[in-house]
């Protein structure tokens, strides 16, 4: 997307970037390109002089700052502290513009007692809608490269993608056969609900080359794994193929709650990501909710474990923010709707308000009680979720029935073109790669199991037992029973001028094979008037 025309020219640009930074002896770009290439090559060799003692730059990935047109964060991680972590940022031709020191964060995994270090270089002052080449490095390590494009500013076209519930494609656990069974050699299995599709979905996203990707929680299911740190490593080794070239912007899911990793279990998630700051957060809750602006879109990412009833993580943390997240969310939604430069209001979260899958997680009354009235009040256009491991979407909804489950009320039944000023469209996009899909569990005709409260802890699972009430689902619009894995793509057309309509074309792609092969399942259009 942002690289020069060929691999050779890209390699030259990388060498120029290092040389311009003065890495190594006399590696300044003051002579011919050939001399710069020679100097930069020497710099790389010198930097990697002691590879055994030096950790590599691992899991390179990007996140936007609050202003996606001017701010980017470059992140990576290691298993030991490093010296001089920094990022070189330049143009695709290798011209150096900034050298940014990276901040260090760390956590001690509560299961293995392994310390993990993450490095975040916060880059500002970037040009809008501009392509950049960068290198991440620390003392003694080989530089790792990526490219990115900043968001346009104002009403310009842009695209993004979304899925949740991925896991890893890695077989990371030694299989123990049943008593009396002997196997030749060692057999490995996946212990974090991943599957080969978890690699295919990453490459599917990269085929489309979106500006950014929204990840709707349950990233790698490390809390289920025998080796949680290795699972995070496997997750980033898989996803750096895309995330080093475009921001992957997450919301935390219940499986990011890892026992012993901080007071409420999210310390690993909070260490690997450096997300925009948000009002009302503490040292315990930082990074769990945030927002950013890309063009005429405000994206608001929230953390649903704070308000849902379901006991789905390693610890039950309902109510952990003491209302701080809800207060921030209302203020954020109100500000977005007061901002005439913002047309589209998109919420990214994990657990769902709608689902027609039987014998799975179901919808959660907590979301309907706490979030849906705010979405209605401030006219949220689109909500993307995960948690249920399939694809479905709602009709636009606004208001709720006066019943036990607060059933959302559909305000339209068209499935091709949808006016989001009338109601919010919810999309469940939980086919990121988990080995436990729910696409074959749909109620026919559509119904919904809603968790309305929880009972005592189960003696077998040690989790609070969910209490369900089943409702009919008049809000159900489209669902995909045939395929388990896929993602949604969103292409924004800002319209031609003030008073015109702006649209988002939505396409849901099934991921149908290795190398990210995709096939469209459905397309539809969201529309609303521009607000300028």
């Amino acid at each position: 997307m942002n690289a020069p025309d060929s691999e050779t020219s890209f390699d030259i640009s990388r060498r120029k970037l290092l040389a311009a930074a003065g890495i190594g002896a006399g590696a300044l770009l003051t002579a011919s390109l050939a001399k710069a290439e020679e100097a930069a090559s020497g710099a790389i060799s010198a930097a990697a002089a002691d590879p055994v003692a030096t950790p590599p730059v691992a899991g390179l990935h990007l996140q936007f700052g609050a202003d996606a047109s001017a701010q980017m964060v470059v992140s990576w991680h290691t298993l030991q502290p490093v010296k001089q972590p920094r990022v070189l940022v330049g143009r695709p031709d290798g011209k150096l513009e900034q050298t940014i020191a990276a901040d260090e964060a760390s956590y001690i995994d509560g299961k293995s007692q392994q310390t993990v270090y993450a490095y975040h270089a916060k880059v500002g002052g970037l040009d809008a809608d501009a392509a950049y080449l960068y290198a991440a490095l620390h003392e003694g390590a080989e530089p790792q490269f990526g490219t990115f494009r900043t968001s346009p500013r104002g009403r310009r076209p842009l695209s993004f993608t979304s899925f949740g519930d991925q896991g890893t494609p890695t077989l990371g656990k030694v299989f123990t056969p049943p008593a009396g069974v002997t196997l030749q050699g060692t057999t490995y299995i996946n212990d974090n609900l991943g599957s080969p599709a978890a690699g295919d979905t990453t490459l599917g996203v990269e085929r489309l080359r979106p500006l950014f990707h929204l990840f709707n929680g349950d990233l790698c299911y490390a809390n289920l794994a025998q080796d949680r740190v290795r699972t995070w490593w496997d997750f980033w080794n898989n996803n750096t193929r895309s995330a080093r070239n475009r921001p992957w912007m997450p919301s935390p899911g219940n499986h990011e709650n890892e026992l012993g990793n901080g007071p409420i279990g999210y310390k690993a998630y909070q260490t690997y990501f450096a997300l925009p700051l948000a009002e009302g957060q503490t040292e315990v809750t930082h990074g769990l909710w945030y927002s950013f602006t890309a063009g005429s879109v405000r994206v608001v990412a929230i953390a649903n474990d704070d308000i849902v009833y379901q006991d789905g993580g390693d610890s039950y943390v309902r109510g952990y923010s003491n209302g701080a997240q809800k207060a921030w969310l209302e203020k954020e939604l109100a500000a977005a709707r007061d901002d005439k430069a913002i047309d589209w209001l998109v919420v990214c979260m994990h657990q769902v308000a709608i689902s027609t899958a039987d014998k799975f997680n179901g919808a959660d009354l907590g979301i309907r009680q706490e979030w849906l009235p705010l979405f209605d009040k401030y006219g949220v256009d689109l909500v993307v979720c995960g948690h249920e491991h399939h694809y479905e979407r709602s009709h636009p909804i606004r208001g709720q029935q006066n019943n036990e489950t607060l059933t959302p009320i559909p305000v339209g039944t068209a499935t091709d073109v949808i006016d989001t000023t009338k109601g919010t469209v919810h999309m469940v996009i939980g086919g990121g790669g988990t080995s436990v899909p729910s696409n074959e569990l749909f109620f026919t005709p559509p119904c919904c199991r809603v968790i309305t409260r929880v009972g005592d802890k189960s003696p077998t699972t040690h989790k609070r037992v969910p209490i369900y009430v089943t409702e009919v689902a008049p809000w159900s619009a489209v669902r995909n029973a045939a395929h388990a894995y896929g993602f949604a793509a969103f292409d924004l057309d800002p319209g031609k001028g003030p008073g015109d309509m702006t649209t988002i074309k939505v396409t849901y792609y099934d991921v149908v094979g290795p190398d990210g092969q995709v096939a469209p399942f459905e397309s539809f259009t969201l529309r609303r008037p521009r607000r300028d």
Side-chain angles (χ1 to χ4, degrees):
M1 168 177 139
N2 304 320
D5 293 338
S6 69
E7 186 63 29
T8 301
S9 61
F10 185 44
D11 186 55
I12 292 171
S13 295
R14 293 186 297 181
R15 294 179 178 186
K16 287 176 64 178
L17 185 71
L18 293 176
I23 297 175
L28 292 172
L29 186 61
T30 56
S32 67
L33 179 60
K35 290 183 178 180
E37 290 183 55
E38 181 181 357
S41 298
I44 294 174
S45 299
D50 191 2
V52 173
T54 303
V57 172
L60 188 61
H61 64 280
L62 300 167
Q63 303 111 104
F64 280 135
D67 179 358
S69 70
Q71 300 168 333
M72 191 71 71
V73 182
V74 180
S75 302
W76 67 100
H77 46 265
T78 65
L79 290 180
Q80 63 195 75
V82 303
K83 296 179 179 179
Q84 291 187 289
R86 61 203 187 277
V87 167
L88 315 177
V89 180
R91 297 293 177 167
D93 63 1
K95 180 182 178 182
L96 177 67
E97 293 192 351
Q98 298 187 57
T99 300
I100 308 295
D103 299 325
E104 182 183 272
S106 66
Y107 76 100
I108 300 174
D109 178 60
K111 187 175 182 180
S112 66
Q113 296 304 301
Q114 171 72 62
T115 301
V116 176
Y117 300 87
Y119 298 92
H120 305 289
K122 299 177 181 179
V123 186
L126 299 168
D127 292 338
D129 198 17
Y132 288 89
L133 169 68
Y134 71 91
L137 65 158
H138 49 255
E139 187 176 293
E142 182 114 0
Q144 291 294 308
F145 294 86
T147 61
F148 63 79
R149 178 173 290 278
T150 53
S151 163
R153 186 174 292 120
R155 290 178 170 87
R156 298 289 185 273
L158 60 81
S159 65
F160 60 97
T161 54
S162 180
F163 67 57
D165 303 82
Q166 186 179 30
T168 76
T170 313
L171 305 178
K173 181 181 180 181
V174 176
F175 174 66
T176 302
V181 176
T182 301
L183 298 177
Q184 296 296 322
T186 302
T187 301
Y188 290 89
I189 60 174
N190 187 294
D191 67 345
N192 66 309
L193 294 190
S195 76
D200 301 338
T201 52
T202 299
L203 292 179
V205 166
E206 204 56 12
R207 278 179 179 253
L208 271 65
R209 301 181 180 179
L211 179 66
F212 61 92
H213 178 67
L214 294 179
F215 199 139
N216 314 325
D218 281 5
L219 281 63
C220 63
Y221 298 84
N223 74 314
L224 302 179
Q226 180 171 290
D227 187 336
R228 300 194 301 202
V229 172
R230 177 178 287 278
T231 296
W232 277 106
W233 239 252
D234 293 341
F235 170 82
W236 285 119
N237 285 341
N238 177 34
N239 287 329
T240 188
R241 297 178 297 170
S242 177
R244 70 171 56 204
N245 295 323
R246 61 205 77 255
W248 279 41
M249 304 298 290
S251 61
N254 50 292
H255 286 288
E256 275 65 75
N257 179 332
E258 301 174 18
L259 190 64
N261 285 355
I264 58 173
Y266 298 99
K267 189 65 174 177
Y269 174 91
Q270 292 166 306
T271 300
Y272 289 111
F273 291 98
L275 299 163
L277 299 176
E279 186 177 293
Q281 291 178 337
T282 66
E283 180 61 29
V284 172
T285 61
H286 74 90
L288 297 182
W289 59 86
Y290 64 92
S291 67
F292 66 94
T293 300
S296 58
V297 180
R298 180 73 53 81
V299 177
V300 180
I302 51 180
N304 284 354
D305 280 321
D306 189 20
I307 54 93
V308 297
Y309 287 101
Q310 187 177 26
D311 186 354
D314 277 1
S315 59
Y316 195 58
V317 293
R318 173 176 161 82
Y320 66 73
S321 81
N322 294 314
Q325 180 179 195
K326 184 176 182 179
W328 170 85
L329 177 60
E330 177 152 24
K331 188 174 181 180
E332 182 66 26
L333 295 179
R337 277 296 170 240
D338 284 342
D339 187 344
K340 297 300 183 183
I342 300 298
D343 292 326
W344 296 95
L345 192 45
V346 176
V347 170
C348 173
M349 65 188 199
H350 182 60
Q351 293 94 333
V352 301
I354 62 108
S355 171
T356 58
D358 189 13
K359 299 180 178 66
F360 214 69
N361 293 303
D364 200 292
L365 183 62
I367 296 172
R368 296 181 176 188
Q369 291 171 325
E370 300 295 330
W371 293 164
L372 293 198
L374 295 181
F375 297 169
D376 289 348
K377 182 177 180 180
Y378 297 104
V380 170
D381 297 286
L382 172 68
V383 176
V384 293
C385 312
H387 201 49
E388 304 291 86
H389 301 167
H390 62 260
Y391 170 67
E392 70 175 304
R393 64 177 168 102
S394 74
H395 292 300
I397 57 175
R398 184 151 298 166
Q400 297 167 290
Q401 295 183 27
N402 185 21
N403 59 15
E404 186 177 6
T405 57
L406 299 178
T407 305
I409 298 172
V411 293
T413 57
T415 58
D416 53 350
V417 179
I418 300 166
D419 181 353
T420 61
T421 65
K422 306 298 185 184
T424 305
V425 173
H426 287 245
M427 297 181 67
V428 178
I429 317 171
T434 171
S435 59
V436 187
S438 52
N439 61 300
E440 296 183 1
L441 300 176
F442 288 129
F443 282 104
T444 302
C447 293
C448 179
R449 295 167 74 233
V450 184
I451 302 169
T452 58
R453 62 189 188 279
V454 289
D456 296 333
K457 285 186 177 181
S458 162
T460 53
T461 67
H462 306 292
K463 295 184 183 298
R464 293 159 179 78
V465 176
I467 309 300
Y468 287 101
V469 173
T470 300
E471 66 179 15
V472 295
W475 39 260
S476 178
V478 175
R479 49 195 191 163
N480 186 359
H483 292 279
Y485 303 113
F487 62 92
F490 305 84
D491 295 303
L492 184 152
D493 180 345
K496 297 179 180 179
D500 197 8
M501 299 298 293
T502 174
T503 62
I504 296 179
K505 180 183 177 182
V506 186
T507 304
Y508 183 81
Y509 290 95
D510 292 322
V511 175
V512 294
D515 201 31
Q517 299 172 69
V518 297
F521 167 70
E522 69 149 349
S523 292
F524 60 97
T525 300
L526 307 175
R527 69 193 298 264
R528 64 173 299 125
R530 285 170 48 138
R531 302 184 68 245
D532 55 358

